[in-house]
């Protein structure tokens, strides 16, 4: 569009010089177009960590079964995408990561879970994790249980008499007692 405008503007410069400027403008545009067409889209069969905004080809690797390898896009926002189909052209944004396979992505997820359990430079066993929980939340839970027990103990016990209870009368009485006092 801009090339067409530039060529038209060059033609209005005059009969001799306008034609020369229009030809030069068209030639420059053709060289730019050829450079754009000749620049291949990046392919990420081996993955990508971060990077700039660009169009790229994914799912371009070939697995041992002869099929394309499914790649995973992890957006900078944390969103996960798995476009299907061989040699898919996708828009990658600044900071997006391309994992070279679903298996590679799963390994990274497992590693991050293990790393999140790593406290003070040591890996936590189940016992250590329970000890950490106990130290962090155990006192609060114990205090809450003590308060609950005190509250239960303060309630008046219900004593059932050995004689028969008139249930309809008890229901009538409970509905007619002024509970606000």
């Amino acid at each position: 569009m801009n090339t067409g405008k530039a060529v038209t503007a060059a033609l209005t410069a005059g009969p001799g010089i306008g034609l020369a400027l229009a030809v030069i403008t068209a030639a420059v545009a053709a060289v730019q177009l050829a450079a754009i067409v000749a620049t291949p889209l990046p392919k990420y069969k081996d993955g990508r960590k971060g990077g700039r905004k660009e169009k790229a080809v994914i799912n371009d690797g070939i697995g041992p079964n002869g099929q394309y390898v499914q790649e995973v896009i992890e957006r900078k926002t944390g969103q996960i995408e798995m476009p299907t189909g061989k040699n898919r052209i996708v828009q990658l944004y600044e900071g997006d990561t391309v994992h070279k396979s679903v298996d590679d992505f799963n390994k990274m997820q497992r590693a991050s879970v293990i790393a999140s359990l790593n406290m003070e430079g040591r890996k936590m066993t189940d016992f250590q994790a329970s000890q950490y929980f106990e130290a962090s939340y155990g006192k609060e839970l114990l205090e809450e249980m003590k308060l609950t027990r005190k509250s239960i103990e303060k309630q008046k016990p219900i004593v059932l008499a050995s004689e028969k209870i008139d249930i309809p009368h008890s229901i009538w009485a409970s509905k007619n007692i002024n509970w606000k006092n």
Side-chain angles (χ1 to χ4, degrees):
M1 189 76 150
N2 290 334
T3 302
K5 288 179 184 178
V7 170
T8 305
L11 288 173
T12 60
I17 192 134
L19 183 58
L21 286 174
V23 169
I24 292 171
T25 303
V28 168
V31 168
Q32 288 175 342
L33 181 61
I36 291 170
V37 171
T39 304
L41 290 175
K43 296 182 177 185
Y44 290 111
K45 70 179 180 181
D46 296 323
R48 159 188 144 146
K49 277 199 177 265
R52 60 187 171 86
K53 180 179 176 180
E54 64 186 350
K55 296 247 188 233
V57 177
I58 64 166
N59 299 344
D60 55 320
I62 304 295
N65 59 1
Q67 297 290 324
Y68 73 91
V69 176
Q70 175 75 50
E71 296 172 19
V72 179
I73 300 172
E74 184 179 0
R75 300 289 183 190
K76 185 178 180 180
T77 61
Q79 184 180 6
I80 305 299
E81 295 178 20
M82 292 180 22
T84 57
K86 185 176 181 180
N87 295 325
R88 288 289 308 267
I89 297 175
V90 296
Q91 178 67 57
L92 297 175
Y93 298 98
E94 185 177 336
D96 288 351
T97 299
V98 176
H99 298 275
K100 62 184 176 181
S101 67
V102 174
D103 189 45
D104 183 60
F105 174 74
N106 288 336
K107 285 179 186 174
M108 188 273 309
Q109 290 294 321
R110 284 190 294 273
S112 71
V113 168
I114 291 170
S116 71
L117 293 175
N118 188 3
M119 301 291 292
E120 299 173 15
R122 59 188 167 90
K123 293 197 188 303
M124 295 176 64
T125 64
D126 289 345
F127 174 74
Q128 289 170 326
S130 68
Q131 292 297 313
Y132 175 76
F133 178 84
E134 183 71 28
S136 299
Y137 302 105
K139 291 178 184 175
E140 291 176 299
L141 290 173
L142 183 60
E143 225 23 68
E144 188 66 30
M145 289 171 67
K146 286 180 181 178
L147 291 173
T148 303
R149 180 179 216 147
K150 285 180 184 177
S151 176
I152 290 171
E153 289 174 348
K154 287 181 183 178
Q155 293 181 359
K156 294 180 182 176
I158 299 173
V159 178
L160 296 176
S162 59
E163 59 194 58
K164 290 186 177 181
I165 299 173
D166 185 4
I167 295 177
H169 175 72
S170 297
I171 293 172
W172 175 84
S174 70
K175 288 182 181 178
N176 292 303
I177 292 176
N178 186 358
W179 292 101
K180 294 181 183 176
N181 290 337

